[in-house]
């Protein structure tokens, strides 16, 4: 009898432990609040992350808030109502110069261009004198400042020699198409769409970068978050960046992935769709952070002269703490 009890008792313990393990709750996914510009391309990457369960696999629960403009996302970051947004590198650099503890990690080097109608008499920067130029993103937009700096080297002061109008990217595109502006400087995806609708480029922002001495394109937009958030949630940030890089790899390798993304892209035709796809791929950062930072430092010096204290704040040097380096990467 005693031997029978000794045999059954360990089995009861084993069954109990199995039941406890079965009912024990798994650790909840960590929430990241992400700000998303409704007309931006960040939505495409997030959709790849969602459909391939990359966030869930990383133990993350992404809560998405949509905003109508980049400025709304910046306000949400400053107020703490979101944790991450894709934001202009120059805005972050200026914010740090003024004391804000924000960090930047490259998202894309894709840039726009100055566009005109195919039959326009405007063929170069000098032809913009006395013309109406519509600019997306406002007077401190990174592309606008880069174009200004390059134009200055050609002896053209666009701020004073052209009539300027500012607005959100969709409005700027409409102004050009409706004849309210003779030229427009817009974000790359709006330019890609105009390429297929009877418009042409007279000056690419990448050409402007080259004119300012950059051999490689700099990622001018990136993921932005606060130092305090990193202090409390560094692992979550690193896991999100790793998931985003996996999504980028999928978009680089798979044409079928773009077929799944097409409903989000609002491409008017196959030519526009392929332009969106190809330019997104070209803009995916491939360089180490150290190389990005070195070129960004050189570019900032030039733009600080162009934009003055309104752009750079009290500093003419890029803050060395601006770029975030994930623990999961060696760069």
């Amino acid at each position: 009898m005693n031997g029978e009890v000794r045999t059954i008792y360990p089995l009861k313990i084993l069954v109990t432990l199995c039941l406890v393990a079965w009912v024990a709750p798994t650790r909840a996914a960590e929430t990241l609040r992400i700000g998303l510009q409704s007309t931006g391309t960040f939505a495409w990457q997030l959709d790849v992350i969602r459909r391939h369960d990359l966030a869930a696999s990383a133990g993350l629960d992404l809560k998405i808030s949509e905003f109508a403009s980049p400025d709304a996302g910046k306000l949400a970051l400053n107020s703490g109502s979101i944790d991450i947004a894709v934001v202009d590198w120059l805005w972050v650099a200026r914010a740090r110069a003024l004391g804000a503890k924000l960090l930047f990690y490259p998202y894309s080097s894709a840039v726009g261009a100055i566009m005109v109608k195919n039959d326009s008499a405007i063929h170069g920067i000098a032809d913009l004198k006395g013309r109406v130029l519509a600019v997306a993103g406002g007077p401190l937009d990174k592309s606008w400042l880069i174009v200004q700096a390059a134009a200055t080297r050609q002896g053209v002061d666009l701020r004073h020699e052209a009539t300027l109008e500012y607005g959100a990217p969709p409005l700027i595109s409409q102004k050009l198409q409706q004849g309210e502006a003779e030229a427009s400087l817009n974000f790359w995806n709006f330019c890609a769409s105009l390429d297929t609708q009877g418009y042409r480029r007279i000056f690419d922002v990448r050409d402007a970068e080259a004119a300012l001495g950059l051999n490689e394109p700099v990622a001018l937009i990136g993921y932005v978050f606060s130092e305090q958030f990193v202090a409390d949630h560094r692992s979550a940030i690193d896991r999100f960046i790793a998931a985003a890089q996996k999504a980028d790899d999928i978009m680089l390798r798979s044409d079928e992935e773009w077929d799944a993304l097409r409903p989000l892209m609002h491409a008017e035709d196959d030519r526009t769709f392929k332009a969106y796809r190809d330019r997104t791929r070209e803009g995916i950062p491939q360089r180490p952070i150290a190389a990005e930072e070195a070129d960004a430092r050189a570019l900032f010096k030039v733009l600080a002269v162009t934009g003055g204290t309104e752009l750079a704040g009290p500093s003419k040097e890029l803050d060395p703490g601006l770029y975030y380096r994930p623990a999961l990467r060696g760069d």
Side-chain angles (χ1 to χ4, degrees), residues 8 14 16 26 55 65-66 77 84 93 127 178 205 238 252 305 315 325:
I8 296 173
L14 179 61
T16 301
T26 57
S65 298
E66 287 197 14
L77 266 176
I84 306 175
D127 296 331
Q178 294 170 2
V205 175
D238 287 356
L252 280 170
V305 173
S315 176
R325 287 169 167 76

Side-chain angles (χ1 to χ4, degrees), residues 285-303:
Q286 304 287 329
R287 300 195 295 165
I289 294 297
E292 284 280 341
E293 184 174 11
D295 282 346
R297 189 172 303 283
L299 181 59
F300 186 81
K301 286 182 179 179
V302 174
L303 298 182

Side-chain angles (χ1 to χ4, degrees), residues 81-325:
S81 60
I82 59 173
D83 304 317
I84 306 175
V86 168
V87 176
D88 186 323
W89 161 78
L90 278 174
W91 178 82
V92 183
R94 181 179 184 275
R96 278 194 71 92
L98 294 174
K101 298 301 182 182
L102 296 174
L103 295 167
F104 179 93
Y105 189 84
Y107 164 73
S108 177
S109 63
V111 287
I114 297 179
M115 309 288 296
V116 298
K117 288 185 176 180
N118 276 341
D119 60 0
S120 172
I122 300 173
H123 294 280
I125 289 292
D127 296 331
L128 290 171
K129 294 178 181 180
R131 309 279 190 167
V132 177
L133 172 62
V135 176
L140 291 180
D141 175 75
K142 79 282 184 189
S143 295
W144 172 224
L145 289 165
I146 290 170
V147 166
Q148 283 183 63
T152 299
R153 295 196 174 188
Q154 295 186 25
V156 180
D157 183 352
L158 289 176
R159 279 185 297 180
H160 299 101
E161 295 181 281
T163 301
L164 305 176
E165 295 184 358
Y166 300 104
L171 175 62
I172 295 305
S173 184
Q174 289 172 14
K175 280 183 174 292
L176 180 62
Q177 293 177 70
Q178 294 170 2
E180 296 175 26
E182 295 163 277
S184 71
L185 172 61
N186 213 329
F187 297 173
W188 75 264
N189 49 321
F190 289 89
C191 295
S193 177
L194 289 170
D195 280 331
T196 68
Q197 299 179 55
Y199 295 82
R200 58 181 168 82
R201 298 161 184 256
I202 66 161
F203 198 55
D204 268 77
V205 175
R206 188 152 300 175
D207 293 335
E209 290 176 341
L212 295 175
L214 297 184
N215 294 322
E216 297 287 339
V218 173
L220 294 178
I221 54 175
Y223 312 103
V224 179
F225 33 85
S226 71
E227 287 186 358
Q228 184 59 56
F229 187 79
V230 170
D232 297 334
H233 305 279
R234 184 181 183 100
S235 173
I237 289 291
D238 287 356
R239 283 178 279 137
F240 172 76
I241 289 173
Q245 289 169 343
K246 288 179 181 178
D248 283 346
D249 289 341
I250 292 170
M251 289 190 286
L252 280 170
R253 293 193 316 267
S254 171
D255 286 348
E256 290 76 14
E257 192 66 29
W258 288 94
D259 293 333
L261 284 171
R262 188 161 184 166
L264 284 179
M265 296 165 67
H266 304 294
E268 298 89 349
D269 50 44
D270 286 345
R271 186 181 171 194
T272 304
F273 165 71
K274 290 176 181 177
Y276 284 170
R277 181 195 65 194
D278 295 347
R279 287 187 176 269
T280 299
R281 285 171 164 171
E282 290 169 6
I284 292 174
Q286 304 287 329
R287 300 195 295 165
I289 294 297
E292 284 280 341
E293 184 174 11
D295 282 346
R297 189 172 303 283
L299 181 59
F300 186 81
K301 286 182 179 179
V302 174
L303 298 182
V305 173
T306 303
T309 56
E310 188 180 11
L311 162 70
S315 176
K316 295 192 181 301
E317 298 283 342
L318 193 69
D319 189 310
L322 174 70
Y323 279 84
Y324 179 69
R325 287 169 167 76

Side-chain angles (χ1 to χ4, degrees), residues 32-63:
L32 282 181
R33 302 169 300 164
I34 295 181
L36 172 67
Q37 184 188 336
S38 56
T39 58
T41 61
F42 188 23
W44 307 350
Q45 186 190 65
L46 289 173
D47 192 63
V48 176
I49 290 173
R50 177 188 61 81
R51 285 186 293 100
H52 290 269
D53 293 322
L54 298 178
S57 298
L60 298 173
D61 179 20
L62 306 185
K63 302 295 186 185

